[in-house]
Amino acid sequence: MIEEFKKFIMRGNVLDMAIGIIIGAAFGKIVTSFVNDILMPPLGLILGKVDFSNLFINLSSTPVNTVAEAKEAGLPIIAYGAFLNSVVDFLIVAFAIFMLIRQVNKLMPAKEEAPSPRLCPFCKTEIPEEATRCPHCTSELH
């Protein structure tokens, strides 16, 4: 079983997938930092000094001023500012992946489509291109 596991783990596509996941996680952290620390603060300033990470709806009757205060008090809140940050995160990651795939597709040679299989005109069974008779119904082919 250990040998079988070694073979499985050393296959190229498993290693490629693992590397992709690790790089993707690191890229996600970079994008999250970009959104939270670089993109949203100036956007919040332009929109009237709004701190998106601190936008929330308090679902309790206890007044609080920040998300941190609400979480510390264990109050139920809807932190829609954090959700907006996550949506922007997702859009940036999705766009980056789109651009990467687009460039890879330009570099990769176009795949030729496989020709449609030849079908017997009588029984509609797939037959080899070189056949002069259908192996299924024995009809003579042209």
Side-chain angles (χ1 to χ4, degrees):
M1 189 163 98
I2 293 173
E3 285 301 314
E4 199 174 334
F5 180 70
K6 282 181 186 177
K7 284 181 186 175
F8 169 76
I9 205 72
M10 295 309 291
R11 288 194 338 214
N13 55 356
V14 173
L15 291 174
D16 292 345
M17 184 179 66
I19 291 167
I21 290 169
I22 292 166
I23 291 174
F27 181 69
K29 288 179 182 178
I30 291 169
V31 170
T32 299
S33 176
F34 172 74
V35 169
N36 294 337
D37 304 329
I38 296 173
L39 183 67
M40 294 310 252
L43 187 61
L45 184 64
I46 291 169
L47 296 174
K49 297 183 182 178
V50 176
D51 177 10
F52 284 91
S53 64
N54 206 32
L55 296 176
F56 68 99
I57 297 171
N58 188 349
L59 299 176
S60 74
S61 58
T62 307
V64 288
N65 294 321
T66 66
V67 171
E69 285 179 25
K71 286 183 178 182
E72 189 177 303
L75 301 175
I77 61 168
I78 297 175
Y80 66 91
F83 177 74
L84 288 174
N85 283 348
S86 295
V87 169
V88 173
D89 263 5
F90 169 77
L91 292 174
I92 291 172
V93 170
F95 183 73
I97 291 171
F98 166 75
M99 294 304 289
L100 177 70
I101 299 290
R102 190 169 174 235
Q103 293 306 315
V104 168
N105 286 341
K106 285 182 182 179
L107 295 174
M108 299 295 285
K111 289 184 180 178
E112 293 182 25
E113 286 190 33
S116 300
R118 182 178 176 200
L119 299 178
C120 172
F122 302 103
C123 69
K124 306 298 183 203
T125 304
E126 190 175 328
I127 54 173
E129 286 296 322
E130 306 81 31
T132 56
R133 280 195 178 274
C134 175
H136 185 66
C137 70
T138 68
S139 298
E140 196 170 319
L141 306 170
H142 305 296

